[in-house]
Amino acid sequence: MRQRLENIDYLGLVLWLFRTAIIVAVVWGTVATIRDNPYSTRNWIDFVIFGLAQGSLYALIALGYTLVYGVLFIINFAHGEFFMSGVFTATVFVAIPMGQSGFLDRNPILALLIIAVVAMATSVGISLLTERIAYRPLRRAPRLVPLITAIGASFFWQYFFRGLYGSGITAFPTVQALQGSWSIAGIDILKTQAVVIVASILLLITLYVIVMRTKMGKAMRAVAEDKEIAALMGIDVDRVIVITFAMGSAAAGVAGVLYAILFRQVHFFMGFIPGIKAFTAAVLGGIGSIPGAALGGLFLGMVESVGPSLFLEGLGIPSSYQLKDVIAFTMLVLVLIFRPQGILGERLAEKKA
Amino acid sequence: MDTQIGFNWRESVRLGLIGGLVALSLSLIGVVETFGGRGIISGVISLGQILLFGAMAGAGYMSARQNPHARTGLNLVGGLIAGLLASLPLIVLVFVAGPINLRDFLPNASPGLLKLLIFEQDQATGSLLLLAVSAVVGLVGAGITLLPGRVRHPLLMGLLFVLMVGLLSEIIILAWGTKGLGLKIRRFMFDKGLSIRGTLLVFLIVAGLNALWGALGGRAQARVSALPAQQQKVLGWGRIALGVLFMLVLPMILRTYLTEVINNVGLFILMGFGLNIVVGFAGLLDLGYVAFFAIGAYTMGVLTSQGELGVAGMSFWSALPIAVAASVLAGVILGVPVLRMRGDYLAIVTLGFGEIIRILALSDFLAPAIGGAQGILKIPKASLGGLEFVAPETLYYLILAACLVAAFVSWRLRDARLGRQWMAMREDEDVAEAMGINLVQTKLLAFAMGAAFAGLSGAIFATKLSSIFPHSFNLLISINVLCLIIVGGMGSLPGVMVGALILVGLPELLREFAEYRLLMYGALLIVMMLSRPEGFWPEESRKRELHEFETEPVLAD
Amino acid sequence: MTILIANQVTKRFGGLTALSALNLEIKERSISSIIGPNGAGKTTFFNCVTGFYQAEEGEIIFEGRPIHSRRPDQITSLGVARTYQNIRLFANMTAMENILVGLHPKLRSTWVGAVLGSPGTRHEEDEAHEEARQLLGFVGLRGKGDIVAKNLAYGDQRRLEIGRALASHPRLLLLDEPTAGMNPAETAEMTAFIQRLRDELGITILLIEHQMRVVMGISETIAVLDYGEKIAEGTPAEIQGNPQVIEAYLGRGAAEVT
């Protein structure tokens, strides 16, 4: 009996209590909200659709984290800045002039495509530059070292673009064609939100097919397994890593444009919080897995959009939307404690020895 | 014909173009113009120009470094070409900016910048001048590598000091140059920046001393280390006594304004000591360190405030232990969930914690208790036996005392059993555990100790400002503290002080720096990790390693 | 007198069974070896004994106490220490500091004592340093205490790792390929050293070893693992003549040839 007492895992107990407390709070809040029912069905549907739109953006950004983590095992902290740099540049140099000249309204599809291409090109350029300078020389260094350079790169780019394009908020021009809403199966969906959701999902599927079906994708997976063996098999590891970064940042570039369409504003700090959220999404889904990133992104977007109203308000918390980031971070902590492999991931994170 | 190794012209061209892009970026993000107002040598050169031409000099220098075995002449030409090429993007900028209004896109491509770039001449003359100056600077950059060490070191050291003194000239004038002897010295040496006389004076003194030290220093050092242990001990104590005396009289030397700056640096040093335990000793990368600073400050605020939000109306001294204890408690509570996480995950989660604390402080949810965006006001000053810690000069001693306590605790722990536990854990967690170290306890102690110093710093911060607002506790503080311990040298106590002086002190003194502070930090983090991961003032054991490397033959890379 | 008993120990990784129902008894003050081809589960067994892995089934009993559900640090404090196949020193700490970390379970001073510089703590630190110096001398590293571990010569690193393990005053020492990467002269020296550990300090030694000459030379009993199962156990002479062992090592059919 004494033996058993000595062997109790106190840490496990504390963590269990922590988890239980959060579950109880969420259930309590949800029940209270449903009882009082302060929102109409219409409201809830809006929350969900907005959550999907926001979540599909998270998914697109999360893709970059997942691809890079899968291959290099580093958290590319600067990924949010790749997202920001592309759309910021495209807005300043392309979208605003096009908006002023009326081109954007005359040829919305062509104009948006050009904007997306410019954003992608910039994001890819910035990411490759970062990889070359801040990551590649440190590939054999202890894991904290590239993480620190990644943090450095993140702040460097933020303030670089702040210096370049100014510190204010730049408005992304409205696209006339995307004003208003479509009615699908009796539900009104804002056109912008619909476009964001559809475009993100199409892009995610495309990238997934590339990774799973093409020769390049195979090479990427080989490098993810074991860089040295992959090199022995004749794979140019540097090139594969470069392409991985390029793919992730291209997706981030598109995500940036979609973000601008959705929120209509662009600024130097816009990449930071979405970046961290997307990382959360990647971990949530299982870092290293593309479907995981998609699922994690959508889930996080949804919880953030619905959560404050659903379970915080029920707890009697005023202005609960202020705490949506708290929900996201709490989820990150919970996932890392209780299921570090994520929803879909294999257990590669913390294997001992 | 002697067999020369072929000169690598492509490298010179490449470096020249990279230098050019750097120069262009510096111009377009506004650095050149902003720092253009900070004269280093009056009427000759500004900080903006130094940075700009630094890119050209760097290109020339690197080009020569790439070809260490080439003939002198070839190397000089390589530098010249690199410098020349480095000016090309700027010249393109000058000509493009004529017909097109770049300011619509790039707010910093202003007429002021363009004027600066072409030395306030007309376009054609100015461009040629820029070309010529760049080429010469590139050549000089290459030339520096060719000088023997005993010339190069005094030269560079002299230039560095000219830069430093010129940079700080405004502060020096404000602090000491307003009357009496100070005024006379000011008239002689300073104008907008250093005067030419002043420049020469500083350069000659520093270069001369450096050359002298280079010639005789080795012998002097040998003589000191040849002294018997007893006398060396006396010498060591003497040095410490001198240091303490210096710290005690510092506010009298610095006067009010600079003391205020030093106080801010001191609060960061205090946090630096704390984070140094967590990151430097124990190897746990904590990006949410600001949370404990905030908790210390808010606890102090709530307990002592005489406004509506104050609950206890306590004095500073009775609230201080509670504030520190609250931070420690928070450190342990936030530490528990992350105990099983390693490295990079830990970093992100702690970052999340920092944000959670800030969001909660800002939210309406907790506003009834801690004021939300309105913050907590009317926090009383600390007082001790009739002495009120109001003026920066008195507050200084409070902060100094806290820093000394933190330094002492860190120093004692580093060499003790607990310090070894931390270091073993940092090196290899699994083996540390196999050595009988209880990881849970060891990690929690690191978090708690780190949180204690941050809480102490936060508590003093609250009474120093008399009011606290959530926006004082953002992520940038965490990043700031992390940067300063990395720049100073992880695990190194003097490194924390050096890091804080450079990273917190300089931007406070030079207002233009504030705007580019984080740009500088970001670049610094990358550069440090690439070139000097042990920091400017490394921990002793790491320095020891470096010395061992030095004695081994170094292969050229 | 038996110091370690492994009873039906089973460890699985996903679908792979690394150890299946392993039984093993180690006598006090003996030198025993575990041999077997790569991937036979030898290091896994070490990891189970030291608490690094939790065995799914079975029990491990050290000096009469079950240790299979304890944490690694607790097991070390009970008197089990180990070294690693691919030397795992604290690379950036000095040799002295490495040994001092090893002494950790024997020290009692707290951080408060260290900060206040209490006489007890100082006394203990002095004694610990003295003992560490002696240990350095014992493992043949006299005067090398200030050298950072990663700058030590390979053989010195191996010896330092053993010194660090000895610092916790173990009664059972697990050595994972202590002669890996050594030349014949160093190997002979190491073999003699292992024998000294048992003879002079009375420590029970269990080692994993690939060099048959070492194994046959110093072991009193040998256990042979293959695919996580014990296929033979006995004295060196018995093992040498065992056809199953030869088969496991050299492949089917080899037994007839030799």
Side-chain angles (χ1 to χ4, degrees):
Chain A
M1 193 60 213
R2 232 189 103 241
Q3 195 69 58
R4 285 210 64 80
L5 270 178
E6 258 176 51
N7 284 344
I8 286 180
D9 179 2
Y10 290 103
L11 182 59
L13 193 71
V14 171
L15 293 180
W16 182 83
L17 282 176
F18 175 62
R19 171 165 59 172
T20 314
I22 287 181
I23 292 173
V24 167
V26 167
V27 170
W28 183 283
T30 309
V31 169
T33 306
I34 290 171
R35 193 190 52 214
D36 301 342
N37 197 17
Y39 297 101
S40 66
T41 318
R42 182 64 252 217
N43 288 142
W44 288 116
I45 290 174
D46 283 348
F47 289 155
V48 168
I49 292 174
F50 177 75
L52 281 178
Q54 184 170 261
S56 52
L57 288 179
Y58 290 158
L60 270 186
I61 309 174
L63 192 80
Y65 280 108
T66 270
L67 287 175
V68 169
Y69 192 91
V71 172
L72 280 181
F73 299 102
I74 58 170
I75 296 176
N76 176 18
F77 205 84
H79 190 64
E81 269 50 68
F82 304 163
F83 160 86
M84 173 273 295
S85 62
V87 65
F88 208 169
T89 306
T91 306
V92 168
F93 281 104
V94 187
I96 292 177
M98 277 180 172
Q100 281 164 351
S101 67
F103 185 81
L104 186 62
D105 290 326
R106 284 196 302 276
N107 300 299
I109 296 180
L110 180 63
L112 285 175
L113 274 179
I114 296 174
I115 293 172
V117 168
V118 171
M120 273 161 74
T122 314
S123 294
V124 170
I126 295 293
S127 86
L128 296 192
L129 200 59
T130 310
E131 193 272 330
R132 182 70 189 79
I133 293 172
Y135 299 155
R136 195 182 297 179
L138 298 170
R139 228 173 261 163
R140 284 170 189 281
R143 272 173 76 176
L144 280 193
V145 171
L147 183 66
I148 291 170
T149 56
I151 294 168
S154 174
F155 283 94
F156 178 81
W157 288 125
Q158 266 178 41
Y159 285 82
F160 180 85
F161 283 99
R162 180 180 184 264
L164 208 55
Y165 303 137
S167 58
I169 291 176
T170 309
F172 188 83
T174 9
V175 187
Q176 283 305 327
L178 295 180
Q179 294 295 298
S181 53
W182 284 309
S183 177
I184 299 168
I187 301 167
D188 286 336
I189 302 180
L190 287 178
K191 285 184 186 170
T192 49
Q193 295 183 350
V195 166
V196 167
I197 295 171
V198 172
S200 311
I201 290 175
L202 284 180
L203 192 60
L204 280 168
I205 292 174
T206 315
L207 287 171
Y208 183 64
V209 170
I210 290 178
V211 172
M212 297 315 283
R213 292 289 155 79
T214 63
K215 207 173 149 210
M216 194 61 222
K218 278 202 191 100
M220 278 166 75
R221 282 180 288 146
V223 172
E225 280 298 321
D226 191 323
K227 282 190 247 328
E228 269 151 39
I229 305 240
L232 287 177
M233 295 291 139
I235 295 172
D236 182 346
V237 174
D238 276 342
R239 192 164 153 261
V240 170
I241 290 173
V242 162
I243 289 176
T244 310
F245 268 89
M247 271 172 67
S249 48
V254 176
V257 175
L258 296 175
Y259 179 96
I261 291 175
L262 194 62
F263 296 104
R264 292 225 294 276
Q265 46 176 250
V266 171
H267 51 98
F268 77 98
F269 200 63
M270 68 187 277
F272 194 72
I273 295 291
I276 295 173
K277 298 283 184 56
F279 172 77
T280 306
V283 174
L284 210 59
I287 199 152
S289 141
I290 295 179
L295 202 70
L298 290 176
F299 185 62
L300 183 68
M302 196 82 90
V303 171
E304 250 188 62
S305 169
V306 177
S309 319
L310 186 60
F311 43 77
L312 290 187
E313 231 158 87
L315 293 173
I317 294 174
S319 322
S320 56
Y321 59 89
Q322 288 175 339
L323 301 184
K324 69 179 169 59
D325 290 355
V326 174
I327 296 181
F329 291 131
T330 311
M331 265 173 66
L332 175 65
V333 177
L334 288 178
V335 170
L336 283 178
I337 297 172
F338 297 108
R339 201 178 154 79
Q341 70 271 41
I343 304 170
L344 295 182
E346 327 147 41
R347 191 176 184 90
L348 44 72
E350 306 299 318
K351 206 157 54 180
K352 277 188 164 189
Chain B
M1 295 254 87
D2 57 347
T3 49
Q4 277 291 339
I5 302 163
F7 192 82
N8 195 347
W9 297 108
R10 276 187 56 184
E11 199 59 22
S12 298
V13 170
R14 197 176 72 97
L15 286 165
L17 291 177
I18 291 177
L21 288 181
V22 171
L24 182 68
S25 304
L26 285 174
S27 307
L28 288 182
I29 62 176
V31 168
V32 172
E33 197 186 354
T34 313
F35 291 164
R38 170 79 51 187
I40 298 296
I41 303 172
S42 180
V44 179
I45 196 162
S46 72
L47 181 59
Q49 283 163 322
I50 286 183
L51 288 171
L52 189 68
F53 291 112
M56 281 93 183
Y61 178 81
M62 296 286 281
S63 146
R65 283 282 296 270
Q66 292 291 327
N67 294 289
H69 304 295
R71 256 187 309 203
T72 311
L74 284 178
N75 252 331
L76 289 178
V77 176
L80 188 94
I81 289 174
L84 205 69
L85 286 172
S87 67
L88 283 185
L90 295 177
I91 289 172
V92 172
L93 174 71
V94 168
F95 279 91
V96 168
I100 303 172
N101 185 6
L102 280 178
R103 289 197 83 177
D104 287 350
F105 311 110
L106 304 166
N108 281 313
S110 64
L113 169 73
L114 297 175
K115 260 199 195 149
L116 247 169
L117 288 182
I118 50 177
F119 304 98
E120 318 210 344
Q121 308 286 323
D122 66 274
Q123 236 179 37
T125 334
S127 303
L128 279 177
L129 200 57
L130 177 62
L131 211 63
V133 172
S134 304
V136 172
V137 170
L139 184 121
V140 171
I144 286 175
T145 58
L146 304 172
L147 295 173
R150 74 194 144 77
V151 181
R152 192 172 60 208
H153 291 157
L155 185 75
L156 289 179
M157 200 47 82
L159 289 176
L160 185 71
F161 267 79
V162 168
L163 178 66
M164 290 300 287
V165 176
L167 203 59
L168 297 176
S169 54
E170 194 181 75
I171 312 294
I172 296 173
I173 292 168
L174 270 179
W176 298 288
T178 44
K179 51 181 182 272
L181 182 65
L183 190 65
K184 271 188 199 138
I185 293 178
R186 170 190 167 181
R187 292 235 172 88
F188 180 75
M189 283 182 64
F190 295 104
D191 189 7
K192 265 191 85 180
L194 278 166
S195 66
I196 294 186
R197 278 183 301 208
T199 308
L200 283 176
L201 190 69
V202 171
F203 180 81
L204 287 177
I205 290 177
V206 173
L209 284 178
N210 190 284
L212 206 66
W213 177 250
L216 305 174
R219 228 180 297 162
Q221 235 162 9
R223 204 175 297 165
V224 170
S225 50
L227 285 176
Q230 192 57 40
Q231 273 173 321
Q232 283 207 27
K233 215 172 180 182
V234 171
L235 220 63
W237 280 111
R239 230 176 283 165
I240 291 175
L242 219 65
V244 169
L245 191 72
F246 174 72
M247 282 195 254
L248 284 179
V249 298
L250 197 61
M252 287 153 218
I253 304 172
L254 290 180
R255 318 273 169 88
T256 309
Y257 172 65
L258 285 182
T259 306
E260 174 66 22
V261 171
I262 283 291
N263 286 348
N264 289 336
V265 172
L267 289 177
F268 273 92
I269 290 180
L270 198 48
M271 279 195 274
F273 281 141
L275 193 62
N276 187 46
I277 288 182
V278 184
V279 181
F281 290 175
L284 306 161
L285 187 57
D286 185 346
L287 294 183
Y289 192 60
V290 65
F292 310 120
F293 181 65
I295 288 171
Y298 269 100
T299 313
M300 177 57 74
V302 169
L303 290 179
T304 62
S305 169
Q306 287 148 357
E308 317 158 11
L309 292 170
V311 292
M314 289 169 128
S315 75
F316 172 81
W317 295 107
S318 43
L320 188 64
I322 304 178
V324 173
S327 299
V328 169
L329 190 69
V332 173
I333 290 174
L334 296 189
V336 167
V338 299
L339 282 174
R340 285 181 184 160
M341 291 173 201
R342 291 180 189 201
D344 30 19
Y345 280 138
L346 178 77
I348 300 282
V349 170
T350 48
L351 184 140
F353 281 147
E355 283 294 286
I356 288 179
I357 297 284
R358 188 183 62 86
I359 294 167
L360 285 179
L362 248 173
S363 70
D364 294 348
F365 171 44
L366 292 182
I370 57 174
Q374 271 76 49
I376 299 180
L377 310 172
K378 292 191 189 160
I379 300 168
K381 299 289 177 192
S383 64
L384 188 66
L387 177 68
E388 279 239 319
F389 293 99
V390 181
E393 285 93 336
T394 46
L395 207 55
Y396 169 87
Y397 292 102
L398 183 64
I399 294 172
L400 178 67
C403 283
L404 288 179
V405 168
F408 181 76
V409 170
S410 300
W411 170 64
R412 274 289 173 86
L413 289 181
R414 187 191 60 193
D415 298 331
R417 179 173 175 234
L418 183 59
R420 291 194 299 266
Q421 276 170 255
W422 283 333
M423 268 175 249
M425 195 169 73
R426 178 186 75 192
E427 294 289 317
D428 190 329
E429 245 180 50
D430 300 332
V431 179
E433 196 177 15
M435 291 298 119
I437 291 172
N438 181 337
L439 292 182
V440 170
Q441 212 183 2
T442 310
K443 279 190 187 179
L444 286 184
L445 268 173
F447 281 126
M449 213 67 84
F453 294 164
L456 181 61
S457 183
I460 299 175
F461 177 77
T463 153
K464 176 171 175 286
L465 289 193
S466 306
S467 49
I468 45 176
F469 305 100
H471 65 75
S472 309
F473 305 102
N474 56 32
L475 173 71
L476 302 183
I477 306 258
S478 306
I479 300 297
N480 218 323
V481 181
L482 180 69
C483 281
L484 72 89
I485 64 172
I486 285 173
V487 168
M490 272 199 253
S492 148
L493 300 180
V496 170
M497 292 188 263
V498 173
L501 278 173
I502 299 176
L503 292 191
V504 183
L506 270 188
E508 295 241 349
L509 288 179
L510 307 166
R511 56 192 180 282
E512 319 82 295
F513 271 67
E515 197 174 330
Y516 294 98
R517 193 173 183 162
L518 284 148
L519 185 84
M520 194 171 80
Y521 285 5
L524 209 53
L525 280 185
I526 299 175
V527 171
M528 290 300 287
M529 285 297 119
L530 290 175
S531 63
R532 218 182 142 82
E534 78 280 6
F536 280 126
W537 196 312
E539 189 196 354
E540 270 167 52
S541 67
R542 299 201 183 182
K543 220 174 353 187
R544 194 162 47 212
E545 284 161 56
L546 292 176
H547 279 293
E548 275 182 32
F549 282 126
E550 276 166 17
T551 53
E552 282 165 8
V554 182
L555 293 173
D557 47 342
Chain C
M1 179 66 195
T2 317
I3 189 164
L4 185 80
I5 304 170
N7 189 10
Q8 298 286 317
V9 173
T10 302
K11 174 73 198 168
R12 295 188 196 89
F13 294 107
L16 180 86
T17 307
L19 285 178
S20 78
L22 184 74
N23 291 317
L24 200 65
E25 290 195 7
I26 306 293
K27 282 203 195 61
E28 206 172 336
R29 292 183 72 107
S30 68
I31 297 182
S32 318
S33 299
I34 301 180
I35 61 171
N38 283 326
K42 300 172 306 249
T43 301
T44 305
F45 179 65
F46 271 23
N47 282 332
C48 286
V49 173
T50 51
F52 199 66
Y53 291 154
Q54 299 277 316
E56 272 92 18
E57 290 160 30
E59 48 182 12
I60 299 171
I61 294 167
F62 173 69
E63 293 184 333
R65 286 189 239 201
I67 55 169
H68 44 270
S69 56
R70 293 190 173 241
R71 287 197 315 267
D73 56 301
Q74 294 172 326
I75 293 173
T76 305
S77 305
L78 287 175
V80 181
R82 74 173 291 185
T83 65
Y84 297 83
Q85 188 179 348
N86 46 342
I87 310 173
R88 287 175 79 172
L89 288 167
F90 301 117
N92 291 311
M93 295 167 81
T94 62
M96 185 74 168
E97 285 169 334
N98 268 278
I99 303 263
L100 285 170
V101 172
L103 278 168
H104 174 88
K106 298 291 146 208
L107 304 183
R108 289 287 157 266
S109 66
T110 63
W111 64 272
V112 181
V115 170
L116 300 177
S118 73
T121 306
R122 270 200 239 165
H123 182 67
E124 191 183 82
E125 276 291 299
D126 289 346
E127 279 190 341
H129 277 82
E130 183 49 40
E131 186 176 352
R133 252 188 299 279
Q134 282 173 8
L135 261 171
L136 278 174
F138 183 74
V139 298
L141 292 172
R142 191 179 305 282
K144 294 184 179 171
D146 282 339
I147 299 178
V148 174
K150 68 178 174 194
N151 296 338
L152 283 170
Y154 181 81
D156 285 349
Q157 292 196 6
R158 280 258 174 237
R159 280 199 293 274
L160 176 59
E161 206 189 16
I162 294 178
R164 185 180 67 180
L166 291 177
S168 66
H169 297 229
R171 288 180 297 287
L172 173 63
L173 180 60
L174 310 177
L175 301 174
D176 200 341
E177 296 200 30
T179 66
M182 286 185 170
N183 63 32
E186 287 172 323
T187 304
E189 201 185 320
M190 179 57 80
T191 315
F193 180 65
I194 293 171
Q195 236 144 7
R196 259 181 77 202
L197 291 181
R198 193 264 309 264
D199 299 342
E200 288 178 23
L201 303 176
I203 298 173
T204 312
I205 297 201
L206 177 59
L207 61 146
I208 293 175
E209 191 45 75
H210 272 299
Q211 295 198 44
M212 280 309 132
R213 197 178 303 185
V214 177
V215 175
M216 298 303 164
I218 59 173
S219 315
E220 281 139 31
T221 54
I222 299 173
V224 188
L225 296 194
D226 193 20
Y227 293 109
E229 288 182 48
K230 189 171 77 179
I231 57 171
E233 190 173 14
T235 62
E238 287 165 5
I239 295 299
Q240 265 167 328
N242 187 325
Q244 244 187 316
V245 175
I246 298 168
E247 189 185 303
Y249 262 88
L250 302 175
R252 204 166 297 279
E256 285 99 70
V257 179
T258 37

